[in-house]
Amino acid sequence: MTDVNDTSPALTAGHHAEPPAGLRRKVVSAVFWVGATKLTGQIISWFITVYVARLLSPDDYGLLGMSFVVIGFVTLFNEFGLGSVIIHNKTISKEDLSSIYWLVILINAALYAAAWLTAPLMAVWFGEPELTALLRIIALSLLINAMGFAHSNMLAKELQFRRSSIAEFAGNLAGGIATLLFALYGYGVWSLVYGNLFLTTVKNVAFFICHPWLPGLNMNVFRIKAMLNFGSKVAASRLLWYVYSNADFLIAGKLLGKTLLGFYSLAFQFASIPLDKIVSMLTQIAYPGFCEVQNDNVLMRRYFLKTIRLTAFVTFPLFIGMFVVADDAVRVFLTEKWAPVILPLQILCVVSTLRAINAMNAPLVVAKGRPGLSMLNNLIFAAVLPVAFYIGSFYGLEGFSYAWLIVFPIIFLISASISIATIELRMIEYLKTLTHPLFATVFMAGAVMVIKYAAGDIDRLPRLVVSCLVGAIAYGLYYLIVNRAIFDEVRAMLRRG
């Protein structure tokens, strides 16, 4: 890819200035294919989510949010970081891969049994008897994911993102259609549960089709022990990540109740769609790419800054665009019953600009062989955010949401400083790479707010359509005038893709 902003000699000089041609082609192809399928999937997901939300109630989403808090915690232990081991190792034998496969199957069988047995206790904790049956069905996803675990990670290791993105797209499409159909037939919260199981099943079957490998009937305990030494640090980091990323649902479910949790849950879901569909794609591509050049800090800096810049270029306008049109969009598409979603959605959109950038720290430090730093970063988040959520909950849904806005930016800067030090990158260079996406987004938001003010008396739907069109034009116009080189980079990427 052609760089558009790198001006530092450290990033442009020396015999390491260009990445290996083969790796560059694979990364560009990955961005092209995964980006196309993710974009299509996101459009479909938005439409289905909006339509389903009109059919269901806040209580339904609140129950699902409680269920995913529990299942999300159990999922942390479903592979003990062995996926990172598969990708991080330059080579991995068939014997080692088979050993990992069977260990993951055993782990998830044990986790399913634990989830099934503890489901009644979780129902008592949240005060929702229906959670028992919900948890026992949702937990089936543990067993299904275990069967496609090795296949999906081998596709990532080999940078076969075209195949893996097609598999994920097939799963998302099947899950979305199933959710919609069940909702239309009046299944309520169960439509969300069954849709998730359809998604998981189709996706993992597709992973197997895309990487048709059968494990051997062996499990080398001594080799597994050595691999778990690395993987356990990744798993510990994910445990801490879970604490801070799910503390809001846990605290809101307990202190605010299922109705307010339902509003917050839907706001969080919409604010997370770009993270799930776009940022997850970039981290999925970035980690194996970083691993390929893990011993070369010059290339690591180039790749990292490119990834940060691309992430900001795509996600900043999406999040801030959602922020400025949230009031009209919620009332038009979700109806007035979902109006309490607006403020939490706006706050989460602002915070998610930083969440998107922060997501790149973990693949960076793990690729450098420093999973302990990822664990440290998540420890900081896990120590601070739950306290902020607890205090915010005393001020209702609004105070709970503002806790994100007050605390997250501070911790983000600390986490970024720790992470970029591993590749000897200065904070000034890190922040500099965000300049154009930030200015372009501010310009876009200003243009949209002017149009909304001028069109204040017209109906919401036409005003929403005009706002979106003006925002897209303003964002593109900024780059056309101020930083036209980015279009050359996009054209070069598409030609190579």
Side-chain angles (χ1 to χ4, degrees):
M1 281 181 281
T2 303
D3 201 352
V4 295
N5 285 332
D6 285 346
T7 56
S8 169
L11 299 178
T12 57
H15 70 284
H16 291 299
E18 289 298 325
L23 178 59
R24 184 169 61 247
R25 283 194 299 271
K26 288 181 179 179
V27 171
V28 170
S29 179
V31 171
F32 176 79
W33 282 102
V34 179
T37 53
K38 290 283 188 180
L39 177 60
T40 305
Q42 177 165 332
I43 294 172
I44 294 172
S45 176
W46 257 326
F47 277 107
I48 292 177
T49 301
V50 166
Y51 196 85
V52 170
R54 294 172 68 97
L55 298 172
L56 303 184
S57 70
D59 288 2
D60 292 327
Y61 280 91
L63 284 170
L64 187 73
M66 294 173 184
S67 300
F68 280 152
V69 167
V70 179
I71 297 302
F73 176 76
V74 176
T75 302
L76 291 173
F77 306 98
N78 68 340
E79 45 105 339
F80 276 94
L82 291 171
S84 296
V85 172
I86 293 174
I87 298 174
H88 187 267
N89 288 347
K90 292 289 186 180
T91 59
I92 186 166
S93 68
K94 292 182 179 179
E95 180 185 7
D96 286 348
L97 192 58
S98 296
S99 298
I100 290 174
Y101 180 87
W102 291 117
L103 178 61
V104 169
I105 291 290
L106 292 174
I107 290 172
N108 282 273
L111 290 175
Y112 177 75
W116 197 94
L117 292 171
T118 58
L121 298 178
M122 295 299 101
V124 171
W125 164 261
F126 284 108
E128 295 294 338
E130 193 175 358
L131 269 183
T132 299
L134 287 174
L135 288 171
R136 287 173 171 174
I137 298 300
I138 293 176
L140 289 171
S141 62
L142 294 168
L143 302 175
I144 300 169
N145 280 323
M147 296 176 185
F149 161 79
H151 304 81
S152 63
N153 280 285
M154 284 303 296
L155 286 170
K157 179 180 180 64
E158 297 166 3
L159 296 175
Q160 295 292 331
F161 290 109
R162 181 175 67 88
R163 296 181 181 181
S164 62
S165 61
I166 291 173
E168 291 188 2
F169 176 78
N172 289 328
L173 181 62
I177 293 174
T179 301
L180 179 58
L181 290 175
F182 280 115
L184 286 170
Y185 280 95
Y187 279 77
V189 67
W190 286 98
S191 61
L192 301 172
V193 174
Y194 295 146
N196 180 263
L197 289 180
F198 266 86
L199 185 157
T200 304
T201 301
V202 172
K203 180 178 67 175
N204 283 281
V205 169
F207 280 145
F208 178 82
I209 294 172
C210 292
H211 194 283
W213 166 81
L214 290 174
L217 299 176
N218 60 277
M219 192 166 73
N220 189 321
V221 177
F222 296 103
R223 290 288 299 153
I224 287 175
K225 183 178 180 181
M227 289 184 286
L228 282 173
N229 184 43
F230 180 92
S232 61
K233 294 179 181 178
V234 177
S237 175
R238 288 175 181 170
L239 173 61
L240 293 169
W241 169 85
Y242 170 86
V243 171
Y244 88 76
S245 64
N246 287 276
D248 50 349
F249 282 84
L250 185 64
I251 294 171
K254 183 65 177 177
L255 299 181
L256 299 182
K258 68 179 179 181
T259 301
L260 290 183
L261 175 60
F263 289 127
Y264 177 80
S265 178
L266 191 64
F268 192 90
Q269 182 176 340
F270 275 110
S272 297
I273 285 177
L275 291 172
D276 295 338
K277 303 295 183 183
I278 298 173
V279 178
S280 65
M281 172 197 77
L282 295 174
T283 56
Q284 182 184 15
I285 295 170
Y287 178 58
F290 290 160
C291 288
E292 286 287 326
V293 294
Q294 58 188 274
N295 297 319
D296 190 329
N297 275 352
V298 175
L299 281 181
M300 285 284 277
R301 285 196 293 270
R302 288 198 63 185
Y303 279 1
F304 181 69
L305 289 176
K306 283 175 182 285
T307 304
I308 290 294
R309 185 161 52 252
L310 179 59
T311 302
F313 173 73
V314 175
T315 62
F316 279 19
L318 285 176
F319 286 126
I320 302 305
M322 290 169 63
F323 170 85
V324 294
V325 302
D327 54 344
D328 286 339
V330 168
R331 289 186 167 92
V332 168
F333 293 117
L334 299 181
T335 70
E336 195 67 32
K337 73 174 181 179
W338 288 100
V341 162
I342 295 172
L343 180 61
L345 176 60
Q346 289 178 316
I347 292 173
L348 288 169
C349 282
V350 173
V351 173
S352 290
T353 59
L354 299 182
R355 290 174 62 209
I357 302 300
N358 184 70
M360 299 301 152
N361 292 337
L364 173 70
V365 297
V366 175
K368 286 295 292 181
R370 304 286 299 278
L373 290 182
S374 180
M375 186 166 60
L376 174 61
N377 286 335
N378 287 332
L379 177 61
I380 296 171
F381 281 105
V384 176
L385 279 175
V387 176
F389 294 142
Y390 180 76
I391 295 173
S393 67
F394 289 103
Y395 300 92
L397 184 58
E398 293 79 8
F400 189 87
S401 302
Y402 275 116
W404 272 108
L405 190 61
I406 295 170
V407 174
F408 194 89
I410 300 171
I411 317 174
F412 161 77
L413 289 174
I414 297 172
S415 174
S417 299
I418 293 172
S419 301
I420 64 177
T422 61
I423 53 173
E424 301 173 350
L425 176 64
R426 294 179 300 166
M427 179 59 74
I428 187 66
E429 289 293 330
Y430 177 79
L431 296 177
K432 182 180 178 182
T433 204
L434 300 174
T435 302
H436 282 305
L438 179 60
F439 286 171
T441 301
V442 171
F443 178 71
M444 175 205 73
V448 173
M449 286 189 286
V450 169
I451 290 298
K452 286 186 63 178
Y453 179 78
D457 294 330
I458 69 173
D459 291 339
R460 291 187 184 276
L461 181 57
R463 187 169 64 194
L464 177 62
V465 172
V466 171
S467 297
C468 292
L469 289 175
V470 168
I473 293 170
Y475 192 71
L477 188 62
Y478 172 91
Y479 274 100
L480 189 64
I481 296 173
V482 179
N483 189 27
R484 189 176 298 184
I486 197 166
F487 296 113
D488 296 330
E489 180 174 8
V490 172
R491 282 195 296 269
M493 181 186 72
L494 292 176
R495 283 199 301 268
R496 292 168 183 166

